[in-house]
Structures are given as C-alpha cells and as structure tokens.
Amino acid sequence: TGTIHFPAMKALLLFPIFLLGIQCDDVPIDRRINCYPDGEPTQEACLQRKCAFSFAEGPEGLPACYMRSDLIGYSAKTNKDGSTTLHKNQGPTSPWGQDIPVLRFQTNDVGNGVVNVRIDTEDKRYDPAPILDLPRETIPSEESLFVEVLGGDVSSFNVRREDNNKLFDTSIGGLIFNDQFIQIAALLPGEGAMYGWGENIHQNLKHDFSRYTTWGMFSNGNAPNSTGLHTANLYGVHPFYLLLEESGKAHGVFFLNSNAQEVTTMPAPALVYRTTGGFLDMYFFPGPTPGQVISQYHAFIGRPFMPSYWALGYQLCRWGYQSLDDLKSRVSAVMDAGIPLDIVYADIDYMDRRKDFTTGENWTGFNDYIDELHDMGMSSILIFDPAVQADYDVFQRAKDSGVSFVEWERHDQVQPEIQSQYPMAKDTKIMLGLVWPDRHVAFPDFLDTTNATDEWWEDEFKRYYKQVKFDGAWIDMNEPQVFQTRNTPLDTEPNNGRYPVVCPKTGPDAKYDSPPYASHNVWYYGEDAFLAKGTLCMNGMTQRGTNRMYNTHSLYGWSESRTTSAVMKKTTGKRSNVISRSTFASSGRYSGHWLGDNSATWDDLQTSISEAVEFNMFGIPYVGSDVCGFLDVSNEELCLRWHQMAAFHSFYRNHNAIGYPAQDPAVWPSVAAATKKANEFRYRYLPYLYHLHYRAAVAGEMVLRPLFFEHPQDDESINRESDQFMWGPAILVAPVYTPGVTKDWVYIPDKNYYSLYDQNYGQLVRSGLDQYDVPWTYNSPTFVRAGNIIPRHQSSALTTTALRKIPFSFLIVPSINGATSGSLFWDDGDSIIEDWKTAGYVLADISYIASSLHTLQLNVIRGSSTINVPSLIELEIFNYQVTPDFTSFTLNGSKLSVNTQASKYSKFTKILTIVFSQGVAVNKEGPVTIQWTNF
Ligand SMILES: *[C@@H]1O[C@H](CO)[C@@H](O)[C@H](O)[C@H]1NC(C)=O
Ligand SMILES: *[C@@H]1O[C@H](CO)[C@@H](O)[C@H](O)[C@H]1NC(C)=O
Ligand SMILES: *[C@@H]1O[C@H](CO)[C@@H](O)[C@H](O)[C@H]1NC(C)=O
Ligand SMILES: *[C@@H]1O[C@H](CO)[C@@H](O)[C@H](O)[C@H]1NC(C)=O
C-alpha cells in the first residue's frame, strides 16, 4: 500500500535557491537536465527556451544549456474525493509543446510490495498495457515500498523503503508533460550501481555514472558496434533497470511505455527519463536481493517460454549459401569433424528471390534433406521476414482473408508511383516499402484487433510446412526494418521502380513523423535522421485504423513473436522455438533473441558476455550472439575463443554474413577441436542448463547471472560483472575475450570453488584474483561451487537426440559446512506445455550428506511413467577424503551393485567416481535413497 503525506512546502525548503531567479548558475554540475539535446545551442537560443547557459568544468557530457529543473514542475493538490492532481506551476514552460495544465497522480498497490506510480491526464491517452496483457503477478517479498508526495511549487514524490531509504526521489524537479513530450527526473540512492535499460550495447553491465550518458530506446535494425561508447538504440526496447543500493539491497523499476523514449544517467546519481507519448506508468519492485527483483519483474511481465531440449544444441548458420549443396557441404564438414551439432539453419537464401514461404531454384530437395537431418536426430530452423511482396499468391490470400496491414491513414497519402505497380494493392491504403525481396512488400499488422492476420499467418506457415518440415522459426527484420525510407521526395526516378516510402516532414500530416521532440533515437544518427528512417512512417495506422506506428512501432517484433509462437505450436504440434531480432519487455514469453548483426571483433565478443546477462534480466534467457561474428572477416583465434565462451549461452549459433569467408568451426583444425571439446562439455551439462530454463519459466530466475547475484556481499564480484558470469547458481565461467593470451586473470569470489576445466580439474581453487592457463586446447575457465549437485549426462553425444538416451551422472561438490543439494528436471523435451500444473515431467530434489553413512537422497517430487527418463548410472564426488567400500552400496536398503572396473577413487585428487552396474530409475514419485560406507 502506498502512503501519501503532504508536508506543506517541504520541497521549497529543499531548494532555497528558488528565490535567486533564473539567470543564476545554480544547478549543481552533477544533475543538469539537458535543455538542448537537439543540437549545439548558442546562449541566445538556450535562453529563448528559458533555460540556463554556462560552460563549466565537469563530467563528460555535461550540458551547457540546462533546465532550471528546480523551477520546472507541477504542484500537487489533494482533492475532496481524496484524489491527487498535479497543476503546472509558474516555472518555465516546455520547449517541446503545450504543458498539460492538470495531471492525475495515482499510486497503486500492485501487491506483495510492488508499487505503481501513474501520472496521466483526464483525457485518455495511448496505453500499451491492453496490448501487452501482462500477467501482473506478484510474489511474496519481505520488503514493502511506499510513495511519499511532497508539496510546494515544484512538488515531488519519492518511492522509499520502510527504513526511509529513498529509491526514486523526484525532488530534483523537471517534470514536464506535453502531448508528445514527457519528462521525469529522479535522484537515485547509493553510487548509481544501475543495471539494465535496453537494447543498447553496454560495454559494462553496470552503468557509468561518472559522466552524462543518454541511451535511446526505439526499435531499430542498425547493426551494433561495441568499439567505443555507442548509445544507439538497437533492435528491442526494455525500459527496466535494477539498482543496487549501498546496503546491498536491490530494487527494480519498469517504465511501461512503448513510444520512442530515452534515459539519461548523470553523476548525482540521477536519471532523466523522457518519452514521446503515452504517459508515466512506473512499477517499483522491492527486491531486496537482486535475484528477487528479477523474479518480481518476470512475475509481472510474464516468465519466459521453455525451450525444447534440442534448441539447446549447437546451431550452424550462414547467409550467402548459393544452393542447398553449398549448405550441405558445410554441415557435413562440421559433422565430419565430430563436432556435436543439432540445428541447421537456412537464411533468406533458401527462398525464391527472398519471398516468404517460397523455395528457391537451387534448393530442390530441401525437404528431403531436412528429413535426413531428422533421421540423424537433428533439427532445422528457417528464417521468415514479416513483410510479404505485394504481387504473389501469399499476398493475394492475405487480401482475400481480410488481413490487416500497416496502412496510410487516407487514400490521398498513398504513394501512387508505388501502388500503381501492384494490381493486387492498387485500391488499398497499404504502406508498401522495400526490404529484401525484389519488389515492394506489405507489413502485416500483428496487432490486428480481429484474428484475421493471425489466422492467415498460421495458414501460410502450415502451407509451407507441408512442403518443408522445419522445426523452428527465426523472425528477422521485425523492428520493422525498411530500406531507404525518406522524408523528402526522390529527385530522380529509380530505374527499377523501387521507390522508397516517403514520410511527411512538414504540414498537418507531420505530427507523428516530425514530432516536437525527436529524441536521442533520432539525434544519435545525425542531422538528416528522423524517427521513421529505416522503418515505416510514424503516421502509419495499426490496429485497424485505431492506432499509429508512432505508438506501436517498437511492439512490431513483440507482436510478430506472439503470433509466430502460437502459430509454430499449431503448425508443428510441438513446443515453439522462435528467435526474434526485435523484442519488447515481456517478449520472452514468446521468443528468444540473438544479439543481432554483430561483427567479427574482439569487442563484440566481449560485450556479448554482458548483453546476454542483460537479456536474462529482461526475461529472455534463450539468448546469445552470432558466434565468430556475423559481419566482417572472422579469424581462427577469435572464432575459437567465441565458441569457448558461447558454449555457455543458451542460444548457441555460429552465423556469418554474405560475402565473408566461411567461419564454421571446420574451417580451422584448431577451432574444430576447441568447438568439439566445448560442445562436448556443454552437451554433457545440458540437464543442468535445462533445469535452469525450467526455473526461469516457473520462477523467473536468470540462467546467466552476474557474479554479484550469488555473492552480493563481495565488492570485487560487483566489479567483475562484465567479463565473468554465473551459469545458474553453481557454475562460474571466466571466458577469454582478448587475443594472444595463454594465461588469464580470473576472480574467484570465495574459498568454495573447484575447477571444472582442464587445469586441476576437481581441485579447490584459491579465492581472489589469480592467473589460470588458457591455451586454445582448454575449455573456458569454469568452476563449480561447493554445496551443489549438478545433474548431467554420463557422456556427450553428437546430437541431443542421442544425448537424451545417455544415462545421468551427478556431480557432487560437497559443501564445506552446509547442505549439498541440487535439482533435476526432465520431460520429453519437445511437447507443448499448456500449463505447468498438468504438464508431464519429472522433478527431483537431490541432497547428499557425508557422515559415517554417506547418503544420496533423491526426492522425486513429480514422477512420470510415460516419459523416457535416463537412469542414474554415475556419481562423481569432489573432495572425498577416504576410500569407500564399493560393496557397501545400497538402494532403498537393498544391495546396489557397483561396477568396480569403471569406478575409481584417487587419494591424490580426492575425486571419487562410482559407476553402478545398472542404472537407478529416477522417474517414479517418492524417495530414492543410495547409501554407502567407507573402509
Ligand atoms: C565502430 O566504432 C568505432 C569507434 O567509434 C569506429 O572506429 C568503427 O569504424 C565503428 N565500426 C563500424 C563497423 O561502424
Ligand atoms: C544457383 O546456383 C548457381 C550455380 O552454383 C549459381 O550460379 C546461382 O547464382 C545460384 N542462384 C542463386 C539464386 O543463388
Ligand atoms: C476468428 O474469428 C472468427 C470470427 O469472429 C471466428 O469464427 C473464429 O473461430 C476465430 N478463430 C479463432 C482461431 O479464434
Ligand atoms: C525407493 O523406495 C520408495 C518408497 O520408499 C519408492 O517410492 C521408490 O520408487 C523406490 N525407488 C527405487 C529405485 O526402488
């Protein structure tokens, strides 16, 4: 519940400077709100905006023209009915529109300590909430948050904990609310240990509050660049952050808004959030641990889908195959090298002239080949672009079934030079643009308020599936990306009729395409940029004429993911595995994500480490980068290190762009060997990874975590959040991301980690910073934490299909002085999970107690007689002190026979390996107890 107090004039006391007037240089240099983000201001231009102007020594990015935020804002009034309204004060007015004089201020108790602050208007404004239909679940928390409103000419509110620690304190001022520009600023607690906001390339997971930095959020198809600071908005939009307070507690904040938006972080620490539409709908998650913040956020937005077991296999892709034979030869090369491989991709090359749902001339026999892959236990994923060419049967069927496309508002806006080329589209208002196909394409509106668009998409998938039995869908270009869009007419005719979309720049129709505040999403790209550059016009109509691209643009990929996920289930009858380039908060319910069109650079390898962790925070754990780099020429060492790192990313795909030399692992013997070894480790540990995905799907836990999630009290762990990560709670990975090294520094947070890689396998390692061997022939430095039991397969296999038949082995790493436990999740790996309550799966808690009688207890909480579950054949125990009696083993009290040939104990390594003569069944509900004694 939120409490509201009104200590009159308190805000004024906080800002006595108010009395000094407008020309003074009185806003501290750590909290200046930029008044001229849209250019280099002259003093005169700045003062015209009623802002202050002064050059000062200060942090990088310090604006010279800044708002008198201490004067700008609204004053709060409590009304007779108990409601609170905000009234525009006497301070300076907005440079970007009419200030809306009266706002509504509401706080809502979402439940379990989650608080919502909503600032909107009497008039109904665009709200993405009905579209997103978030589950808004909450989970118990020991902490509550409160909202306090302070009066005064510049009223403010703050969100605080019970202990009065303010988490979001808007007394900095600067609240502006116009039709197309909304700004709110807040002082933040601690030193600004902030994580999140996206999608951007953050060179470090933790934001840099030593400077002013503005990040854009508006879906965009441009390729990322990790070399130097680039604040570009990328493919998706995630207006969410987690902040670690000085006490070690963490909280989260989600801005539910889908318009073009941005955030500026500044040294105070403080933030300025700006958006170009909708209203302020903010959700505060109390934590108090970082993991709890994320679980609370995922409960609210919706937890991620459960990927198929095969989708965790290794994936091979490239763009630029000339034919099916081309593809086959590279797949064969990788298989011949003995590299575990599960998924074969085809990029747009497989299509006839890059048209969806067609097969190109060099691809006859495609389905026979996919059948062969299936026979070998492998799978295929095909690319689908959202837009369809406006002149073939697919488009005709769409028209016949009343599909909704992104349209112009009126017929007189339609570009006749384009529409006249397409008899099928001639009388429509469909906004036709240019993408990969030779001719113009139409963009289905997956936000259609009827089910016509979804039904047509399903029908097309099913039709194509009759021809080619693909297993997963890769949806690209769905920002949506559109080539050559302009806001000035062409001065010459394109000789092939490829006229670009031209959006209105001036005049009455330009309200959405030339808004008063274009945002960082435009200014980042320089003088000629505009919101619709690289996409469809903002004035385009969506939701059957009831909404605009201006509002829903960044939801395009989200909505295509939602539809495609449902369609894939109906098409294949199996679990859907969709990866999408564009995502929005809550996309993880429907799709995974690859980190886009990266390049073969060491910098892109490095940032992919923290970007993948960030997408886990965003609720999209099925994430990874294009291994070896998509653009640019890759090389042996980079490609080798990239595989070694990415073997720990759930989405694990080597992908290369057209025109670059092959970079599949079979190209270099060293890379083939390293990839084989990395994949064998990964495949062996897939039961552990699969359980992590189960926990993500049911409890909102992250698969990849920063070190500080597991070691919140350790300062150094907080500093190593960008280059090392936890693979679930138990395994620490310190990948190599720099060239030319044979030794590397690794930080180990405490005295409880054992090596799980080639150097001193199974041995306790020193805590703190130390050098480790990292020759090409070793896997990534990997360590396992004491107190954990890791379910894995006894050995690896060439495909996940073969792997699923290999018995389980439990790695037991005894706790020095606490419990030792783990969990096992298993299901058939591919059937649709409608509801976890009725789904068929096996779930077991595993615990180990070492005393005079050693006891391994499996508590099978949920069993299944219909699923093939590997049996338990092996135990491996680290730090085992004395020789066990192999004849003493019992199962449920009866003798359990041990294969003494295969079992072994070394008093030097202190590693015990027990192999049972017969596998122990773990699929029936109830306890399974294995006990033994030592000599
Ligand atoms: C990436 O950014 C760096 C530094 O700004 C620049 O030198 C480089 O050319 C950029 N790379 C690409 C592919 O644009
Ligand atoms: C089909 O294959 C031939 C021969 O390899 C090649 O020249 C041609 O470019 C290919 N066609 C396409 C569309 O890639
Ligand atoms: C789609 O809507 C039509 C008409 O309202 C209805 O008959 C049909 O059952 C709906 N289809 C689905 C799959 O909901
Ligand atoms: C062990 O005994 C329990 C009952 O105590 C039973 O539920 C379980 O199935 C048994 N397991 C095996 C492998 O015999």
Side-chain angles (χ1 to χ4, degrees), residues 196-197 199-206 215 223-232 234-235 593-618 623-630 638 641-642 645-646 649 704 720-725 735-739:
W197 299 106
E199 182 178 2
N200 316 99
I201 293 291
H202 298 132
Q203 290 181 302
N204 287 296
L205 197 64
K206 184 159 79 177
W215 301 95
N225 183 344
S226 306
T227 305
L229 175 65
H230 293 271
T231 57
L234 299 177
Y235 311 101
H593 176 58
W594 85 102
L595 295 170
D597 298 346
N598 65 5
S599 299
T601 66
W602 290 94
D603 292 321
D604 272 357
L605 165 57
Q606 180 179 355
T607 62
S608 71
I609 298 170
S610 43
E611 290 298 311
V613 172
E614 215 163 80
F615 268 91
N616 271 267
M617 289 178 53
F618 297 151
V623 64
S625 55
D626 280 345
V627 173
C628 304
F630 175 68
L638 177 64
R641 294 304 191 190
W642 211 317
M645 186 282 293
H649 283 175
L704 301 179
R720 296 305 296 253
E721 86 290 322
S722 301
D723 61 351
Q724 298 185 183
F725 57 88
V736 175
Y737 55 85
T738 44

Side-chain angles (χ1 to χ4, degrees), residues 891-892 920-921 924-928:
L891 168 64
N892 274 358
V920 175
K924 290 194 201 67
E925 225 150 88
V928 178

Side-chain angles (χ1 to χ4, degrees), residues 58-111:
E60 197 171 330
L62 176 70
C65 175
Y66 54 96
M67 293 184 182
R68 290 301 313 273
S69 57
D70 51 334
L71 308 181
I72 294 174
Y74 283 75
S75 49
K77 281 202 182 81
T78 309
N79 302 304
K80 283 200 192 93
D81 60 1
S83 66
T84 303
T85 44
L86 304 177
H87 301 261
K88 175 64 188 137
N89 72 3
Q90 297 304 308
T93 54
S94 169
W96 298 295
Q98 288 272 306
D99 292 302
I100 294 177
V102 182
L103 306 174
R104 300 191 303 188
F105 179 92
Q106 285 174 281
T107 63
N108 301 302
D109 175 7
V110 183

Side-chain angles (χ1 to χ4, degrees), residues 165-217:
N165 191 12
K166 289 176 186 157
L167 307 183
F168 191 90
D169 175 3
T170 65
S171 66
I172 185 174
L175 177 65
I176 298 178
F177 205 124
N178 309 151
D179 182 25
Q180 290 180 281
F181 176 79
I182 301 169
Q183 170 177 285
I184 190 166
L187 295 163
L188 303 170
E191 290 170 357
M194 177 186 274
Y195 304 85
W197 299 106
E199 182 178 2
N200 316 99
I201 293 291
H202 298 132
Q203 290 181 302
N204 287 296
L205 197 64
K206 184 159 79 177
H207 281 263
D208 179 1
F209 276 81
S210 71
R211 49 167 293 145
Y212 284 75
T213 317
T214 300
W215 301 95
M217 286 170 284

Side-chain angles (χ1 to χ4, degrees), residues 269 548 666 741 805 879:
R548 301 257 180 195
V741 297
K805 298 188 181 112
N879 195 25

